[in-house]
Coordinates of all heavy atoms in Angstrom, one line a residue:
M1 N -23.4 12.0 -44.4 CA -24.6 11.3 -43.9 C -24.1 10.5 -42.6 O -23.1 9.8 -42.6 CB -25.1 10.3 -44.9 CG -26.3 9.6 -44.4 SD -27.4 8.6 -45.4 CE -26.9 8.6 -47.0
S2 N -25.0 10.5 -41.6 CA -24.7 9.8 -40.4 C -25.1 8.3 -40.5 O -26.1 8.0 -41.1 CB -25.6 10.4 -39.3 OG -25.5 9.6 -38.1
R3 N -24.3 7.5 -40.0 CA -24.6 6.0 -40.0 C -25.7 5.7 -39.0 O -26.4 4.8 -39.2 CB -23.3 5.2 -39.7 CG -22.3 5.2 -40.8 CD -21.1 4.4 -40.4 NE -20.2 4.5 -41.5 CZ -19.7 3.4 -42.1 NH1 -20.1 2.2 -41.7 NH2 -18.9 3.5 -43.1
A4 N -25.7 6.4 -37.9 CA -26.7 6.1 -36.8 C -28.1 6.5 -37.3 O -29.1 5.8 -36.9 CB -26.3 6.8 -35.5
F5 N -28.2 7.5 -38.0 CA -29.5 8.0 -38.5 C -29.5 8.3 -40.0 O -29.4 9.4 -40.4 CB -29.9 9.3 -37.7 CG -29.9 9.1 -36.2 CD1 -28.9 9.6 -35.5 CD2 -31.0 8.5 -35.6 CE1 -28.9 9.4 -34.1 CE2 -31.0 8.3 -34.3 CZ -30.0 8.8 -33.5
P6 N -29.5 7.3 -40.8 CA -29.4 7.4 -42.2 C -30.4 8.4 -42.9 O -30.1 9.1 -43.8 CB -29.5 6.0 -42.8 CG -30.1 5.2 -41.7 CD -29.8 5.9 -40.4
N7 N -31.6 8.4 -42.3 CA -32.6 9.3 -42.9 C -32.5 10.7 -42.5 O -33.1 11.6 -43.0 CB -34.0 8.8 -42.6 CG -34.3 7.5 -43.3 OD1 -33.7 7.2 -44.3 ND2 -35.3 6.7 -42.8
A8 N -31.7 11.0 -41.4 CA -31.6 12.3 -40.9 C -31.0 13.3 -41.9 O -31.5 14.4 -42.1 CB -30.8 12.4 -39.6
A9 N -30.0 12.9 -42.6 CA -29.4 13.7 -43.6 C -30.2 13.9 -44.8 O -30.2 15.0 -45.5 CB -28.0 13.1 -44.0
S10 N -31.1 13.0 -45.2 CA -31.9 13.1 -46.4 C -33.2 13.9 -46.1 O -33.9 14.2 -47.0 CB -32.2 11.7 -46.9 OG -33.0 11.0 -46.0
G11 N -33.5 14.1 -44.8 CA -34.7 14.8 -44.5 C -35.9 13.9 -44.4 O -37.0 14.4 -44.2
L12 N -35.8 12.6 -44.6 CA -36.9 11.7 -44.6 C -37.3 11.4 -43.1 O -36.4 11.3 -42.3 CB -36.6 10.4 -45.3 CG -36.3 10.5 -46.8 CD1 -35.9 9.2 -47.3 CD2 -37.6 11.0 -47.5
P13 N -38.5 11.3 -42.8 CA -38.9 11.0 -41.4 C -38.5 9.5 -41.1 O -38.5 8.7 -42.0 CB -40.4 11.1 -41.4 CG -40.8 11.0 -42.8 CD -39.7 11.5 -43.7
A14 N -38.2 9.3 -39.9 CA -37.8 8.0 -39.4 C -39.1 7.1 -39.5 O -40.2 7.6 -39.2 CB -37.3 8.0 -38.0
S15 N -38.9 5.9 -39.8 CA -40.1 5.0 -39.8 C -40.6 4.8 -38.4 O -39.8 4.7 -37.5 CB -39.7 3.7 -40.5 OG -38.7 3.0 -39.8
P16 N -41.9 4.7 -38.3 CA -42.5 4.5 -36.9 C -42.1 3.1 -36.4 O -41.9 2.2 -37.2 CB -44.0 4.6 -37.1 CG -44.2 4.3 -38.6 CD -42.9 4.7 -39.3
P17 N -42.0 3.0 -35.1 CA -41.6 1.7 -34.5 C -42.8 0.7 -34.8 O -43.9 1.1 -34.8 CB -41.5 2.0 -33.0 CG -42.2 3.2 -32.8 CD -42.2 4.0 -34.1
T18 N -42.4 -0.5 -35.0 CA -43.4 -1.5 -35.2 C -44.0 -1.9 -33.9 O -43.4 -1.9 -32.9 CB -42.8 -2.8 -35.9 OG1 -41.8 -3.3 -35.0 CG2 -42.3 -2.5 -37.3
E19 N -45.3 -2.3 -34.0 CA -46.0 -2.6 -32.7 C -45.5 -4.0 -32.3 O -45.5 -5.0 -33.0 CB -47.5 -2.7 -33.0 CG -48.4 -3.0 -31.8 CD -49.8 -2.9 -32.1 OE1 -50.3 -2.0 -32.8 OE2 -50.6 -3.8 -31.6
Q20 N -45.1 -4.1 -31.0 CA -44.6 -5.3 -30.5 C -45.8 -6.1 -30.0 O -46.7 -5.6 -29.4 CB -43.7 -5.0 -29.3 CG -43.0 -6.3 -28.8 CD -42.1 -5.9 -27.7 OE1 -41.8 -4.8 -27.3 NE2 -41.5 -6.9 -27.1
K21 N -45.7 -7.4 -30.2 CA -46.7 -8.3 -29.7 C -46.1 -9.2 -28.7 O -44.9 -9.5 -28.7 CB -47.3 -9.2 -30.9 CG -48.1 -8.4 -31.9 CD -48.7 -9.3 -32.9 CE -49.5 -8.4 -33.8 NZ -50.3 -9.1 -34.8
P22 N -46.9 -9.5 -27.6 CA -46.3 -10.4 -26.6 C -45.9 -11.7 -27.1 O -46.6 -12.3 -28.0 CB -47.5 -10.5 -25.6 CG -48.7 -10.1 -26.3 CD -48.3 -9.2 -27.4
P23 N -44.9 -12.3 -26.6 CA -44.6 -13.7 -27.0 C -45.8 -14.6 -26.7 O -46.5 -14.4 -25.8 CB -43.4 -14.1 -26.0 CG -42.9 -12.8 -25.5 CD -44.0 -11.8 -25.6
P24 N -46.0 -15.6 -27.6 CA -47.2 -16.4 -27.5 C -47.3 -17.2 -26.2 O -48.4 -17.5 -25.7 CB -47.1 -17.4 -28.6 CG -45.9 -17.1 -29.4 CD -45.2 -15.9 -28.8
S25 N -46.1 -17.5 -25.6 CA -46.2 -18.2 -24.3 C -46.3 -17.3 -23.1 O -46.5 -17.8 -22.0 CB -44.9 -19.1 -24.2 OG -43.8 -18.2 -24.1
L26 N -46.2 -16.0 -23.3 CA -46.3 -15.1 -22.1 C -47.8 -14.7 -21.9 O -48.4 -14.1 -22.8 CB -45.5 -13.9 -22.4 CG -45.4 -12.9 -21.2 CD1 -44.8 -13.5 -20.0 CD2 -44.6 -11.7 -21.6
K27 N -48.3 -15.0 -20.7 CA -49.7 -14.7 -20.4 C -49.6 -13.4 -19.6 O -48.7 -13.1 -18.8 CB -50.3 -15.8 -19.6 CG -50.4 -17.1 -20.3 CD -51.0 -18.2 -19.5 CE -51.0 -19.5 -20.3 NZ -51.5 -20.6 -19.5
P28 N -50.7 -12.6 -19.6 CA -50.7 -11.3 -18.9 C -50.5 -11.5 -17.4 O -49.9 -10.7 -16.7 CB -52.1 -10.8 -19.2 CG -52.5 -11.4 -20.4 CD -51.9 -12.8 -20.5
C29 N -51.0 -12.6 -16.8 CA -50.8 -12.8 -15.4 C -49.4 -13.0 -15.0 O -49.0 -12.9 -13.8 CB -51.6 -14.0 -15.0 SG -51.1 -15.6 -15.7
C30 N -48.5 -13.4 -16.0 CA -47.1 -13.7 -15.6 C -46.2 -12.6 -16.1 O -45.0 -12.7 -15.8 CB -46.7 -15.0 -16.3 SG -47.8 -16.4 -15.8
A31 N -46.7 -11.6 -16.8 CA -45.8 -10.6 -17.3 C -45.6 -9.5 -16.2 O -46.4 -9.3 -15.4 CB -46.5 -9.9 -18.5
C32 N -44.4 -8.9 -16.2 CA -44.0 -7.8 -15.3 C -44.2 -8.2 -13.9 O -44.9 -7.4 -13.1 CB -44.8 -6.6 -15.7 SG -44.6 -6.0 -17.4
P33 N -43.6 -9.2 -13.4 CA -43.9 -9.6 -12.0 C -43.4 -8.6 -11.0 O -44.0 -8.4 -9.9 CB -43.1 -10.9 -11.8 CG -42.1 -10.9 -12.9 CD -42.7 -10.1 -14.0
E34 N -42.4 -7.8 -11.3 CA -41.9 -6.8 -10.3 C -42.9 -5.7 -10.1 O -43.2 -5.3 -9.0 CB -40.5 -6.2 -10.7 CG -39.4 -7.3 -10.9 CD -39.4 -8.0 -12.2 OE1 -40.1 -7.6 -13.1 OE2 -38.7 -9.0 -12.3
T35 N -43.4 -5.1 -11.2 CA -44.3 -4.0 -11.1 C -45.7 -4.5 -10.6 O -46.4 -3.8 -9.9 CB -44.5 -3.3 -12.4 OG1 -44.9 -4.2 -13.4 CG2 -43.2 -2.6 -12.8
K36 N -46.0 -5.8 -10.9 CA -47.3 -6.3 -10.5 C -47.3 -6.5 -9.0 O -48.3 -6.2 -8.3 CB -47.6 -7.7 -11.2 CG -48.9 -8.3 -10.8 CD -49.1 -9.6 -11.5 CE -50.4 -10.2 -11.1 NZ -50.7 -11.5 -11.7
Q37 N -46.2 -7.1 -8.4 CA -46.1 -7.3 -7.0 C -46.2 -6.0 -6.2 O -46.9 -5.9 -5.2 CB -44.8 -8.0 -6.7 CG -44.7 -8.4 -5.2 CD -43.4 -9.2 -4.9 OE1 -42.5 -9.2 -5.7 NE2 -43.3 -9.7 -3.7
A38 N -45.4 -5.0 -6.7 CA -45.4 -3.7 -6.0 C -46.8 -3.0 -6.1 O -47.3 -2.5 -5.1 CB -44.4 -2.8 -6.6
R39 N -47.5 -3.1 -7.2 CA -48.8 -2.6 -7.4 C -49.8 -3.3 -6.5 O -50.6 -2.6 -5.7 CB -49.2 -2.7 -8.8 CG -50.7 -2.2 -9.1 CD -51.3 -2.9 -10.3 NE -51.5 -4.4 -10.0 CZ -51.9 -5.2 -10.9 NH1 -52.1 -4.8 -12.2 NH2 -52.0 -6.5 -10.6
D40 N -49.8 -4.6 -6.5 CA -50.7 -5.3 -5.6 C -50.5 -5.1 -4.2 O -51.5 -4.9 -3.4 CB -50.6 -6.8 -5.9 CG -51.1 -7.2 -7.3 OD1 -51.7 -6.3 -8.0 OD2 -50.9 -8.4 -7.7
A41 N -49.3 -5.0 -3.7 CA -49.0 -4.8 -2.3 C -49.5 -3.4 -1.9 O -50.1 -3.2 -0.8 CB -47.5 -4.9 -2.0
C42 N -49.3 -2.4 -2.8 CA -49.8 -1.1 -2.5 C -51.3 -1.0 -2.4 O -51.8 -0.4 -1.4 CB -49.3 -0.1 -3.5 SG -49.7 1.6 -3.2
V43 N -52.0 -1.6 -3.3 CA -53.4 -1.6 -3.3 C -54.0 -2.3 -2.1 O -54.9 -1.8 -1.5 CB -54.0 -2.3 -4.6 CG1 -55.5 -2.5 -4.5 CG2 -53.6 -1.4 -5.8
I44 N -53.4 -3.4 -1.7 CA -53.9 -4.1 -0.5 C -53.6 -3.2 0.8 O -54.5 -3.1 1.7 CB -53.2 -5.5 -0.3 CG1 -53.7 -6.4 -1.4 CG2 -53.4 -6.1 1.0 CD1 -52.9 -7.7 -1.6
E45 N -52.4 -2.6 0.9 CA -52.1 -1.9 2.1 C -52.7 -0.5 2.2 O -53.1 0.0 3.2 CB -50.6 -1.8 2.2 CG -49.9 -3.1 2.4 CD -48.4 -3.0 2.3 OE1 -47.8 -1.9 2.3 OE2 -47.7 -4.1 2.2
K46 N -52.8 0.2 1.0 CA -53.2 1.6 1.0 C -54.5 1.9 0.3 O -55.0 3.0 0.5 CB -52.1 2.5 0.4 CG -50.7 2.3 1.1 CD -49.7 3.1 0.4 CE -48.3 2.9 1.1 NZ -47.2 3.7 0.4
G47 N -54.9 1.0 -0.5 CA -56.1 1.3 -1.4 C -55.7 1.8 -2.7 O -54.7 2.5 -2.9
E48 N -56.5 1.5 -3.7 CA -56.2 1.8 -5.1 C -56.0 3.3 -5.3 O -55.1 3.7 -6.1 CB -57.3 1.3 -6.0 CG -57.1 1.4 -7.5 CD -58.2 0.8 -8.3 OE1 -59.0 0.0 -7.8 OE2 -58.3 1.2 -9.5
E49 N -56.7 4.1 -4.7 CA -56.6 5.6 -4.9 C -55.3 6.2 -4.5 O -54.9 7.3 -5.0 CB -57.7 6.3 -4.1 CG -57.7 6.2 -2.6 CD -58.4 4.9 -2.1 OE1 -58.8 4.1 -2.9 OE2 -58.4 4.7 -0.9
H50 N -54.5 5.4 -3.7 CA -53.1 5.9 -3.3 C -52.0 5.3 -4.1 O -50.8 5.5 -3.8 CB -52.9 5.6 -1.8 CG -53.9 6.3 -1.0 ND1 -53.9 7.7 -0.8 CD2 -55.0 5.9 -0.3 CE1 -54.9 8.0 0.0 NE2 -55.5 6.9 0.3
C51 N -52.3 4.5 -5.1 CA -51.3 3.7 -5.8 C -51.2 4.0 -7.3 O -50.8 3.2 -8.1 CB -51.5 2.2 -5.6 SG -51.5 1.8 -3.9
G52 N -51.7 5.2 -7.7 CA -51.8 5.5 -9.1 C -50.4 5.4 -9.9 O -50.4 4.8 -11.0
A53 N -49.3 5.8 -9.3 CA -48.0 5.7 -10.0 C -47.6 4.3 -10.2 O -47.1 3.9 -11.3 CB -47.0 6.4 -9.2
L54 N -47.8 3.4 -9.2 CA -47.5 2.0 -9.4 C -48.4 1.3 -10.4 O -48.0 0.4 -11.1 CB -47.5 1.3 -8.0 CG -46.5 1.7 -7.0 CD1 -46.7 1.1 -5.7 CD2 -45.1 1.3 -7.5
I55 N -49.7 1.7 -10.4 CA -50.6 1.1 -11.4 C -50.2 1.5 -12.8 O -50.1 0.7 -13.7 CB -52.0 1.6 -11.1 CG1 -52.5 0.9 -9.8 CG2 -53.0 1.2 -12.2 CD1 -53.8 1.5 -9.2
E56 N -49.8 2.8 -13.0 CA -49.4 3.2 -14.3 C -48.1 2.6 -14.7 O -47.9 2.3 -15.9 CB -49.3 4.8 -14.3 CG -50.6 5.5 -14.3 CD -51.5 5.0 -15.5 OE1 -51.0 5.0 -16.6 OE2 -52.7 4.7 -15.2
A57 N -47.2 2.4 -13.8 CA -45.9 1.7 -14.1 C -46.1 0.3 -14.6 O -45.5 -0.1 -15.5 CB -45.0 1.7 -12.9
H58 N -47.1 -0.4 -14.0 CA -47.4 -1.7 -14.4 C -48.0 -1.7 -15.8 O -47.7 -2.6 -16.6 CB -48.3 -2.4 -13.4 CG -48.5 -3.9 -13.7 ND1 -47.6 -4.8 -13.8 CD2 -49.7 -4.5 -14.0 CE1 -48.1 -6.0 -14.1 NE2 -49.4 -5.8 -14.3
K59 N -48.9 -0.8 -16.0 CA -49.5 -0.7 -17.3 C -48.5 -0.4 -18.4 O -48.5 -1.0 -19.5 CB -50.6 0.4 -17.4 CG -51.8 0.1 -16.6 CD -52.8 1.3 -16.7 CE -54.0 1.1 -16.0 NZ -54.9 2.3 -16.1
E60 N -47.5 0.5 -18.1 CA -46.5 0.8 -19.1 C -45.6 -0.4 -19.4 O -45.2 -0.7 -20.5 CB -45.6 1.9 -18.6 CG -46.3 3.3 -18.7 CD -46.7 3.6 -20.1 OE1 -45.9 3.5 -21.0 OE2 -47.8 4.1 -20.3
C61 N -45.3 -1.2 -18.3 CA -44.5 -2.4 -18.5 C -45.3 -3.4 -19.4 O -44.7 -4.0 -20.3 CB -44.2 -3.1 -17.2 SG -43.2 -4.6 -17.3
M62 N -46.6 -3.6 -19.2 CA -47.4 -4.5 -20.0 C -47.4 -4.0 -21.4 O -47.3 -4.8 -22.3 CB -48.8 -4.5 -19.4 CG -48.9 -5.1 -18.0 SD -48.6 -6.9 -17.9 CE -50.1 -7.5 -18.6
R63 N -47.6 -2.7 -21.6 CA -47.6 -2.2 -23.0 C -46.3 -2.4 -23.7 O -46.3 -2.7 -24.9 CB -48.0 -0.7 -23.0 CG -49.4 -0.4 -22.6 CD -49.7 1.1 -22.6 NE -51.0 1.4 -22.1 CZ -51.2 2.1 -21.0 NH1 -50.2 2.7 -20.4 NH2 -52.4 2.3 -20.6
A64 N -45.2 -2.2 -23.0 CA -43.9 -2.4 -23.6 C -43.7 -3.9 -24.0 O -42.9 -4.1 -25.0 CB -42.8 -2.0 -22.6
L65 N -44.4 -4.8 -23.4 CA -44.3 -6.2 -23.8 C -45.3 -6.5 -25.0 O -45.3 -7.6 -25.5 CB -44.6 -7.1 -22.7 CG -43.4 -7.1 -21.6 CD1 -43.9 -8.0 -20.4 CD2 -42.1 -7.6 -22.2
G66 N -46.1 -5.5 -25.3 CA -47.1 -5.7 -26.4 C -48.5 -6.0 -26.0 O -49.4 -6.2 -26.9
F67 N -48.8 -6.0 -24.7 CA -50.2 -6.2 -24.3 C -51.0 -4.9 -24.5 O -50.4 -3.8 -24.2 CB -50.2 -6.6 -22.8 CG -49.7 -8.0 -22.6 CD1 -48.4 -8.2 -22.1 CD2 -50.5 -9.1 -22.9 CE1 -47.9 -9.5 -21.9 CE2 -50.0 -10.4 -22.7 CZ -48.7 -10.6 -22.2
K68 N -52.2 -5.0 -24.9 CA -53.1 -3.8 -25.0 C -53.8 -3.6 -23.7 O -54.8 -4.3 -23.4 CB -54.0 -4.0 -26.2 CG -53.3 -4.1 -27.5 CD -54.2 -4.3 -28.7 CE -53.3 -4.4 -29.9 NZ -54.1 -4.3 -31.2
I69 N -53.4 -2.6 -23.0 CA -53.9 -2.3 -21.7 C -54.6 -0.9 -21.8 O -54.1 0.0 -22.3 CB -52.9 -2.2 -20.6 CG1 -52.1 -3.5 -20.5 CG2 -53.4 -1.8 -19.3 CD1 -52.9 -4.7 -20.0

């Protein structure tokens, strides 16, 4: 049996990851400042239709912190 994956040898499925919730003191406006700044600059300079990848990157960052986007 593997120590890293104890259920792998037994054939049991791994338990699903628990849903992460944002820390109570973290507000959406302050989360992910790096992706937010890049997204906002792109939208201002090029327009929203040209910034899909940066918008999605910011959404993924927010979701990773537990925000429902």
Side-chain angles (χ1 to χ4, degrees):
M1 181 172 357
S2 168
R3 288 179 180 237
F5 302 102
N7 291 338
S10 66
L12 297 175
S15 59
T18 58
E19 185 176 319
Q20 183 179 359
K21 293 188 178 185
S25 62
L26 183 62
K27 297 178 183 176
C29 62
C30 302
C32 303
E34 298 84 13
T35 57
K36 182 179 179 181
Q37 184 178 13
R39 178 205 64 187
D40 291 350
C42 182
V43 170
I44 290 169
E45 294 172 12
K46 300 177 183 177
E48 186 176 342
E49 62 277 1
H50 299 288
C51 302
L54 292 172
I55 292 169
E56 287 305 312
H58 185 62
K59 287 180 183 179
E60 286 301 314
C61 181
M62 297 288 285
R63 287 182 190 119
L65 290 176
F67 290 101
K68 295 184 180 188
I69 302 291

